């Protein structure tokens, strides 16, 4: 069973910084794309940033130049460094990952990729 656990959220003043972390645990063969999403009150969940296994990154326009996503494959961890935070960055931040595990099927174990979510961490930016 794969679990994603986020940490690092909290209350910060506008202009401040936070660093979120997300650790994947379980019997994981490989992790492909990892990403951070966020959901503000009354709004849909949106992609904030993503990073491939080859460390290719993409960002929402609203966070470009302020947020940086990175990963440590040995630690099965993805980070989100957030700077110059704004009130509109407030929300619950969720970690997402495509994890490959080994599933027993018929005569043996085979790789299987599934998408997983963390439980979320609250980020509140006061103006």
């Amino acid at each position: 069973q794969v679990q994603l656990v986020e940490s690092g959220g909290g209350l910060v003043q506008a202009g401040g910084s936070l660093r979120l972390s997300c650790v994947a645990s379980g019997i994981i063969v490989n992790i492909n794309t990892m990403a951070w999403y966020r959901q503000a009150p009354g709004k849909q969940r949106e992609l904030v940033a993503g990073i491939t296994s080859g460390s290719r990154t993409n960002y929402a326009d609203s966070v470009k130049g302020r947020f940086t996503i990175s990963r440590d494959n040995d630690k099965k961890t993805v980070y989100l460094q957030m700077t110059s935070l704004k009130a509109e960055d407030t929300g619950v931040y969720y970690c997402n990952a495509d994890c490959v595990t080994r599933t027993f099927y018929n005569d043996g174990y085979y790789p299987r990729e599934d998408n997983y979510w963390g439980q979320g961490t609250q980020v509140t930016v006061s103006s």
Side-chain angles (χ1 to χ4, degrees):
Q1 193 76 353
V2 173
Q3 281 192 319
L4 303 179
V5 179
E6 302 102 332
S7 62
L11 174 64
V12 64
Q13 287 189 331
S17 300
L18 281 176
R19 188 194 196 207
L20 305 183
S21 300
C22 171
V23 181
S25 63
I27 304 176
I28 299 170
V29 175
N30 189 38
I31 304 177
N32 292 322
T33 298
M34 304 183 83
W36 288 95
Y37 287 74
R38 68 186 179 192
Q39 187 165 20
K43 294 189 176 181
Q44 288 189 328
R45 192 174 297 188
E46 62 174 355
L47 175 67
V48 175
I51 184 167
T52 67
S53 57
S55 293
R56 189 170 65 234
T57 60
N58 66 289
Y59 296 91
D61 287 342
S62 60
V63 307
K64 282 181 182 176
R66 300 187 299 121
F67 290 9
T68 302
I69 189 171
S70 61
R71 63 190 286 170
D72 184 328
N73 292 328
D74 291 337
K75 295 182 179 180
K76 296 185 177 66
T77 300
V78 63
Y79 305 97
L80 185 68
Q81 179 68 49
M82 304 185 292
T83 63
S84 301
L85 283 161
K86 305 175 181 179
E88 51 263 43
D89 294 318
T90 294
V92 179
Y93 283 69
Y94 296 93
C95 177
N96 181 273
D98 293 322
C99 298
V100 179
T101 59
R102 291 171 64 84
T103 299
F104 185 82
Y105 181 74
N106 283 347
D107 58 348
Y109 285 90
Y110 296 89
R112 168 177 165 165
E113 182 182 275
D114 292 288
N115 185 258
Y116 296 88
W117 289 93
Q119 82 288 352
T121 185
Q122 176 70 43
V123 172
T124 303
V125 184
S126 62
S127 56

